[in-house]
Amino acid sequence: MTDLYQSQRAMRRMRKAAMDRRLIAILDVGSTKIACLVLRLEGPELGAPEDGLGRMAGQATFRVIGAASTRSRGVRFGEIDAMQEAERAIRTAVQAAQKMAGQRVDHVIACFSGGRPRSYGLAGEVPLSEGTVSEADIARALAACDVPDIGQGREVLHAQPVNFALDHRSGLSDPRGQIGNRLSVDMHLLSVEASAIQNLLYCIQRCDLELAGLASSPYVAGIASLVEDEQELGAACIDMGGGATGISIFMKKHMIYADAVRLGGDHVTLDIAKGLQVSQAQAERIKTRHGGVIATGVDDRELIECGGDSGDWDRDRRRVSRAELIGIMRPRVEEILEEVRARLDAAEFEHLPSRAIVLTGGASQIPGLDGLVARILGQHVRLGRPLRVRGLPQSATGPDYAAAVGLCLFAAHPQDEWWDFDIPAERYAGRSLRKALKWFRDNW
Amino acid sequence: MQPLMLSPALRAVDPQPQRPRDPAPSRLSYRMHRLWLTPLYRALLRVGLPAFALAFVGGLWLVDEGRRSGLVERLTELRRDLEERPEFMVTLLTVEGASVELAAQIRAALAVELPASSFALDLEALRQKVAAMSGVAQAEVLIRPGGILALRVTERVPAIVWRGPEGLWLLDREGHRVAPIASRLDRPDLGLVAGAGAEAAVPEALALYAAAEPVAPRLRGLVRMGERRWDVVLDRGQRILLPERGAVAALERVMALALAEDMLARDVIVIDMRNQARPTLRLAPAALEELRRMRGQPAGATSG
């Protein structure tokens, strides 16, 4: 656990350095596109007051000054598959965003959806030595959590305290300064495969950038597209990307569960390409222009031109009806949603007070998808778009930029994680001087 | 799978079909782009490098001694050409506000060689030179359009004649010298002061002259005694000794006595007002004799 502390704290330091330089880049490594935004942080003195989030829910503290996206290469299922290709794609996006911003960025916060994220709920409890809860007590409580066996070759990506309880009172968001005897904490821990992180880290280092933070893409998509009430009352955000579909469940403004299904819009495109015997590019075009999931009578009469692009223009011309296209797309979309359903069931989503479902991501733009989702997942379905962020170009306001926008919010207002609290003194061997000082303070 | 390790030689033998251009920047161009976006480097390259190149080329050109002196020569020539343009030439000196003699004196003292370039004239030095002349209270120097060097002078007005160690001088109200005169009779309208330190107390002397208005025809002049007090000298050898302080008031007192009792017309040699509490008269010997005779005292006896 100590190296985790070290690496995450190193990232936090990097993020602090970026905050001081007022410039940070956001990198959304997806399977379809790689998006890079350059943020100029405007600091707390502009707009936001001391306490609370301030103007526009804290979004006034930064401004997007550069935005670029490029077609993703070498990324599959939200993981880096071919390093050189992925590195080139990241380079393209970063260079274009830097060019638009007119400034060089050195620090980058990245998110990815792959790496088989897995959620764990942790609980820890400590007796309080003094009457009131201090930050050191919280750190001790966090340290007292039993860490489950997350498996070989996996790393912790997020470890966020989601709930504090003091004696019999539960649901505290900030117990500091309160009086009690026992402090217990619930923590949500998200682990991903270490190789996915390492590959991404390597690619980013090859681009001469410093990694100042890592986030899971379902989490940041949820931050961007769930409104405050949904985050408070319980909602699931389903981020339908190209290679993977991320699921994150929010409750009381904390993420309590995240997962990803390794299926996405690219699979729908592949199905179309195979079913209609067309190239992938053409299948993508047909999907975006004519796609749908609910067939009606008029769709039988709407014919779509599709040639094999084989050079034989006279013979290789076919027409398919839209109903046929829907017949290809719908089973795959249903399969994705069934998978999502299974994950939500595993997370006991049906026990939440408000079971709102918000769809974002590029694949959520299929017409009629909300109707299909309502049949499979539940009644409260909404198509979510990310919040408007200052300076974001119009082309980057669609649902496919939910993760990028969420990462901006994450960069401006990161949630407290485990490693933001000091390590308790008894667990930390290197600080004997501090221990001695503490002993003096306690005994004299 | 695409060939990963195809050597260029092999590729030349078996040319691949033309693939679409890779939009990704090469590692080198990416690094160059980032370097270019670095603010310090950018400033250095955009400002520093051209400035350095200019300075370097200039330095190379100036290394040669002949070129350097030629450049200096050309610059001075250019400067002279500019200065000697007719627009900048001064051809005329006018003096305003001075009498004819003073103007002539000023012209002689300045000795400006005209025509001269206005760049070559040091107006402040000229002004100080003129202002330092006796007889000039204030001086202004300016160059008017049309090449005129205009001197505006405020002349000192003579107020009194001073008989000093260097002869007779005219002084103005503050005691500054205005001009020497040859004879007292040149300015009979002005009063006369004499004695050591008289020129330093001209304002008081003028006040005394004003107070002595009733005996003006008899007034010969004022004598400064011991650089601290005045004597008023009248004709027939009469003197009024004034105190150091309150001289004007004492003189006014004497004038009142003179008007009321016609004191000055009597045979009095000295009226001593130095001690305010005890004014003293000194009679002429004959008058003293007469007084004693009238009082019936023997001659030669003294009293009080």
Side-chain angles (χ1 to χ4, degrees):
Chain A
M1 275 290 131
T2 321
D3 9 315
L4 170 74
Y5 257 96
Q6 300 306 339
S7 62
Q8 291 282 6
R9 290 200 149 200
M11 274 200 258
R12 275 297 149 101
R13 275 200 297 279
M14 217 68 90
R15 197 174 72 82
K16 214 160 194 175
M19 291 284 174
D20 290 341
R21 288 181 56 176
R22 301 268 152 116
L23 203 67
I24 199 163
I26 292 301
L27 197 63
D28 173 20
V29 183
S31 324
T32 317
K33 65 163 192 351
I34 289 179
C36 179
L37 306 181
V38 179
L39 303 187
R40 193 178 62 219
L41 301 160
E42 291 173 347
E45 67 274 14
L46 295 173
E50 282 295 306
D51 54 348
L53 276 176
R55 278 201 293 145
M56 292 179 64
Q59 291 177 52
T61 55
F62 64 85
R63 186 179 183 87
V64 179
I65 56 170
S69 67
T70 180
R71 193 168 66 91
S72 185
R73 300 149 64 181
V75 182
R76 281 174 69 212
F77 306 123
E79 294 162 20
I80 287 172
D81 180 56
M83 298 274 252
Q84 310 289 330
E85 291 284 297
E87 182 203 324
R88 275 188 207 129
I90 291 174
R91 221 152 58 194
T92 315
V94 170
Q95 185 175 29
Q98 273 180 349
K99 194 170 181 179
M100 181 171 163
Q103 267 170 314
R104 167 194 172 153
V105 282
D106 290 328
H107 304 277
V108 66
I109 295 183
C111 76
F112 62 99
S113 59
R116 298 182 191 274
R118 209 176 290 157
S119 270
Y120 299 90
L122 275 58
E125 192 175 72
V126 282
L128 292 177
S129 51
E130 298 154 28
T132 55
V133 181
S134 63
E135 273 189 32
D137 291 323
I138 297 177
R140 276 199 303 131
L142 290 173
C145 291
D146 312 325
V147 178
D149 181 18
I150 56 174
Q152 193 68 32
R154 291 182 73 84
E155 282 267 14
V156 176
L157 190 58
H158 292 289
Q160 297 163 340
V162 295
N163 183 31
F164 291 100
L166 203 54
D167 296 338
H168 57 278
R169 292 188 299 139
S170 183
L172 303 176
S173 58
D174 187 0
R176 279 176 301 175
Q178 301 197 38
I179 298 167
N181 292 317
R182 296 193 69 76
L183 176 73
S184 54
V185 61
D186 295 322
M187 194 155 71
H188 172 239
L189 187 142
L190 189 74
S191 73
V192 292
E193 278 170 8
S195 60
I197 294 183
Q198 274 161 10
N199 289 347
L200 182 62
L201 195 63
Y202 180 76
C203 282
I204 285 172
Q205 276 170 354
R206 287 269 299 170
C207 293
D208 304 332
L209 297 167
E210 301 271 14
L211 194 63
L214 260 182
S216 160
S217 171
Y219 171 50
V220 288
I223 294 178
S225 48
L226 295 184
V227 298
E228 214 165 313
D229 272 2
E230 287 166 341
Q231 287 187 15
E232 178 76 32
L233 298 175
C237 173
I238 296 170
D239 174 21
M240 304 182 70
T245 297
I247 303 154
S248 59
I249 301 178
F250 278 74
M251 177 85 188
K252 291 201 168 173
K253 300 200 177 156
H254 290 291
M255 178 176 67
I256 56 169
Y257 178 82
D259 206 338
V261 176
R262 289 162 81 82
L263 285 170
D266 284 352
H267 298 88
V268 179
T269 307
L270 280 177
D271 284 351
I272 294 170
K274 285 172 194 161
L276 299 183
Q277 303 271 322
V278 291
S279 67
Q280 264 194 62
Q282 204 182 358
E284 180 73 31
R285 201 176 68 84
I286 289 171
K287 183 182 83 170
T288 48
R289 289 197 54 175
H290 306 284
V293 285
I294 293 176
T296 55
V298 79
D299 290 333
D300 287 329
R301 294 195 294 278
E302 188 182 335
L303 294 178
I304 303 163
E305 288 276 350
C306 66
D309 207 10
S310 57
D312 190 3
W313 193 78
D314 288 328
R315 312 250 164 70
D316 188 18
R317 287 176 69 207
R318 282 166 284 137
R319 291 169 139 201
V320 290
S321 69
R322 186 159 181 253
E324 272 178 275
L325 178 66
I326 289 173
I328 295 172
M329 285 175 72
R330 179 160 174 151
R332 184 59 93 170
V333 175
E334 276 179 350
E335 187 196 350
I336 297 172
L337 293 176
E338 291 290 349
E339 281 284 330
V340 170
R341 174 71 200 250
R343 306 291 166 97
L344 288 180
D345 283 346
E348 300 184 338
F349 179 64
E350 65 263 30
H351 299 304
L352 287 188
S354 152
R355 290 175 295 277
I357 288 172
V358 176
L359 295 168
T360 62
S364 74
Q365 290 164 316
I366 303 173
L369 184 70
D370 44 345
L372 188 63
V373 172
R375 270 193 227 164
I376 297 174
L377 296 181
Q379 285 303 312
H380 299 293
V381 179
R382 174 173 86 83
L383 290 176
R385 285 168 157 272
L387 293 166
R388 291 303 299 269
V389 174
R390 286 204 301 159
L392 197 67
Q394 181 64 37
S395 60
T397 53
D400 41 344
Y401 280 85
V405 172
L407 207 50
C408 294
L409 302 176
F410 175 79
H413 295 282
Q415 191 161 9
D416 278 347
E417 306 238 12
W418 193 4
W419 33 85
D420 291 328
F421 294 94
D422 280 330
I423 306 171
E426 56 262 30
R427 293 226 166 185
Y428 207 62
R431 298 239 176 118
S432 49
L433 187 70
R434 196 190 225 190
K435 251 159 67 177
L437 271 177
K438 189 178 183 311
W439 183 84
F440 258 92
R441 213 180 298 141
D442 292 347
N443 292 282
W444 292 83
Chain B
M1 185 168 173
Q2 64 188 28
L4 290 174
M5 310 296 262
L6 199 58
S7 71
L10 268 176
R11 209 174 290 165
V13 172
D14 179 21
Q16 289 203 326
Q18 195 65 43
R19 287 171 59 192
R21 198 181 60 83
D22 191 350
S26 71
R27 217 166 137 74
L28 186 69
S29 77
Y30 173 77
R31 284 206 169 140
M32 291 313 290
H33 186 240
R34 278 174 66 80
L35 192 63
W36 175 238
L37 285 176
T38 309
L40 182 69
Y41 180 82
R42 200 175 172 139
L44 212 68
L45 215 65
R46 284 172 62 163
V47 180
L49 198 68
F52 174 75
L54 271 180
F56 189 72
V57 169
L60 271 187
W61 193 77
L62 283 178
V63 156
D64 186 36
E65 178 66 37
R67 279 186 200 142
R68 210 155 52 208
S69 59
L71 184 71
V72 171
E73 214 167 85
R74 265 222 310 277
L75 281 178
T76 47
E77 194 175 323
L78 202 68
R79 191 187 157 93
R80 208 172 56 233
D81 280 357
L82 184 75
E83 284 177 355
E84 289 180 356
R85 286 180 71 85
E87 289 87 348
F88 296 121
M89 294 305 279
V90 174
T91 52
L92 195 66
L93 173 68
T94 63
V95 181
E96 295 170 19
S99 60
V100 181
E101 305 93 59
L102 186 64
Q105 264 181 29
I106 290 172
R107 280 171 196 277
L110 284 184
V112 186
E113 282 185 19
L114 295 178
S117 166
S118 58
F119 289 100
L121 291 174
D122 185 356
L123 295 189
E124 183 56 27
L126 288 181
R127 194 194 70 76
Q128 280 177 0
K129 207 166 172 185
V130 173
M133 288 177 71
S134 56
V136 176
Q138 267 186 336
E140 272 180 62
V141 182
L142 57 130
I143 291 176
R144 291 234 181 92
I148 298 170
L149 179 64
L151 267 171
R152 202 174 293 148
V153 173
T154 313
E155 216 176 327
R156 289 188 195 280
V157 181
I160 208 157
V161 181
W162 171 49
R163 189 184 296 279
E166 303 151 29
L168 283 169
W169 276 87
L170 289 173
L171 302 184
D172 75 344
R173 300 195 68 81
E174 281 98 39
H176 296 287
R177 296 178 185 198
V178 177
I181 52 172
S183 161
R184 168 80 177 94
L185 293 178
D186 290 352
R187 296 302 297 262
D189 53 322
L190 299 179
L192 177 75
V193 289
E199 76 276 21
V202 170
E204 199 186 14
L206 287 171
L208 290 174
Y209 259 98
E213 186 63 43
V215 293
R218 296 191 52 207
L219 194 59
R220 283 291 164 84
L222 302 178
V223 182
R224 188 75 170 164
M225 302 302 286
E227 296 192 22
R228 59 185 178 89
R229 61 174 203 84
W230 288 105
D231 272 8
V232 180
V233 180
L234 303 176
D235 60 355
R236 292 200 282 115
Q238 273 185 341
R239 275 188 146 188
I240 306 172
L241 277 57
L242 295 177
E244 202 176 330
R245 248 174 250 140
V248 176
L251 187 60
E252 275 168 356
R253 222 166 129 196
V254 174
M255 286 305 118
L257 282 172
L259 281 179
E261 304 196 7
D262 207 12
M263 185 177 66
L264 292 179
R266 295 165 198 260
D267 200 2
V268 179
I269 302 173
V270 171
I271 303 165
D272 188 350
M273 300 293 288
R274 285 177 294 182
N275 190 340
Q276 301 259 346
R278 196 167 61 96
T280 312
L281 298 182
R282 192 190 302 161
L283 300 181
L288 190 65
E289 209 53 38
E290 182 63 19
L291 184 67
R292 281 180 184 151
R293 194 188 56 78
M294 282 167 72
R295 285 184 183 165
Q297 284 175 337
T302 53
S303 67

